[in-house]
């Protein structure tokens, strides 16, 4: 019982059961197929394609890095809670792949007549949905095998912080063309504010991952409140502009 508990606490999903490796390989395959199908169609352009391609590529490389770390047993050398890191990454990836599936379907399925392009678009969405369901399964399986669910996933401030980061990423996808705002100072300011707020949220997220919130000279709740107030001011300026 003791050795089993120590194994669960020191390693991630892949080290506990073969099911973990199966999920990783399924995620690698589905995300790779999704962005490969999009990349093979040079006529597909636009914000929806940019966002979807970014999501699938990001999830692919994130899963690949996680798999390599687990294969070589490097998670014990990282100064963070590995199980919490796995669950948080899988939660984000679930949202990202789901949003990519919905946005891509709304944008492209209706544009194509019954042809090879429409079949390819449907296949892309299907593999994206498979990835989304596999990431959700990853979250549930990691929690079931380790019993280690990050408490900050269920606190209201942190849920809003993660939702903010998620929405900001979608905004970045739809402003990925610099010519849309390059010569408009107000829009340049808005893009800069989105980037700053995204970085502030990422800092708070990394502090949670690395268990560094207790090392701050001030209580983490005060630090997070300061970041939130600053983000509210910056977002307000973008709304006004």
């Amino acid at each position: 019982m003791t050795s089993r508990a120590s194994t669960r606490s020191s390693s991630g999903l892949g080290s506990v059961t073969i099911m973990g490796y199966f999920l990783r390989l399924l995620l690698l395959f589905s995300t790779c197929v999704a962005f490969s199908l999009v990349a093979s169609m040079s006529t597909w352009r636009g914000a929806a394609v940019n966002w979807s391609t970014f999501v699938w590529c990001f999830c692919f490389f994130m899963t690949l890095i996680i798999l390599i770390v687990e294969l070589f047993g490097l998670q014990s050398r990282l100064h963070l809670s590995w199980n919490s890191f796995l669950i948080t990454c899988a939660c984000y990836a679930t949202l990202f792949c789901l949003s990519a599936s919905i946005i891509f379907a709304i944008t492209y399925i209706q544009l194509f007549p019954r042809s090879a392009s429409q079949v390819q678009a449907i296949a892309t969405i299907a593999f994206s949905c498979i990835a989304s369901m596999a990431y959700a399964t990853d979250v549930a399986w990691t929690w079931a095998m380790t019993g280690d669910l990050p408490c900050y996933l269920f606190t209201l401030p942190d849920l809003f912080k993660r939702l903010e980061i998620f929405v900001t990423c979608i905004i970045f996808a739809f402003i990925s063309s610099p010519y849309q705002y390059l010569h408009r100072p107000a829009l340049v300011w808005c893009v800069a504010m989105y980037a700053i707020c995204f970085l502030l949220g990422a800092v708070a997220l990394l502090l949670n991952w690395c268990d560094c919130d207790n090392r701050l000279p001030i209580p983490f709740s005060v630090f997070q409140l300061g970041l939130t107030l600053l983000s509210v001011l910056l977002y307000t300026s973008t709304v006004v502009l």
Side-chain angles (χ1 to χ4, degrees), residues 191-213:
V191 173
M193 294 306 101
Y194 292 141
I196 292 173
C197 292
F198 175 82
L199 292 175
L200 293 177
V203 167
L205 183 66
L206 290 174
L207 288 175
N208 268 326
W209 277 356
C210 301
D211 295 327
C212 296
D213 46 356

Side-chain angles (χ1 to χ4, degrees), residues 79-155:
H79 300 289
L80 52 82
S81 175
W82 182 247
N83 293 326
S84 298
F85 175 78
L86 287 180
I87 293 175
T88 306
C89 286
C91 285
Y92 267 118
T94 302
L95 290 175
F96 284 164
C97 289
L98 183 60
S99 69
S101 303
I102 295 173
I103 293 174
F104 195 87
I106 294 175
T107 306
Y108 286 97
I109 288 296
Q110 299 178 353
L111 295 180
F112 293 116
R114 293 187 178 274
S115 62
S117 297
Q118 188 184 56
V119 173
Q120 195 165 348
I122 294 174
T124 302
I125 296 168
F127 280 104
S128 181
C129 291
I130 291 173
S132 181
M133 290 186 291
Y135 276 116
T137 305
D138 194 355
V139 174
W141 192 264
T142 304
W143 179 31
M145 294 303 298
T146 64
D148 184 13
L149 190 65
C151 60
Y152 58 80
L153 285 178
F154 294 106
T155 61

Side-chain angles (χ1 to χ4, degrees), residues 92 151-165 200-201 204-205 208 220-229 231-232:
Y92 267 118
C151 60
Y152 58 80
L153 285 178
F154 294 106
T155 61
L156 191 60
D158 288 294
L159 284 174
F160 279 121
K161 182 61 67 177
R162 279 145 186 81
L163 179 62
E164 173 196 346
I165 295 176
L200 293 177
L205 183 66
N208 268 326
F220 183 71
S221 58
V222 177
F223 174 77
Q224 195 169 26
L225 178 61
L227 292 183
T228 302
L229 292 176
S231 297
V232 168

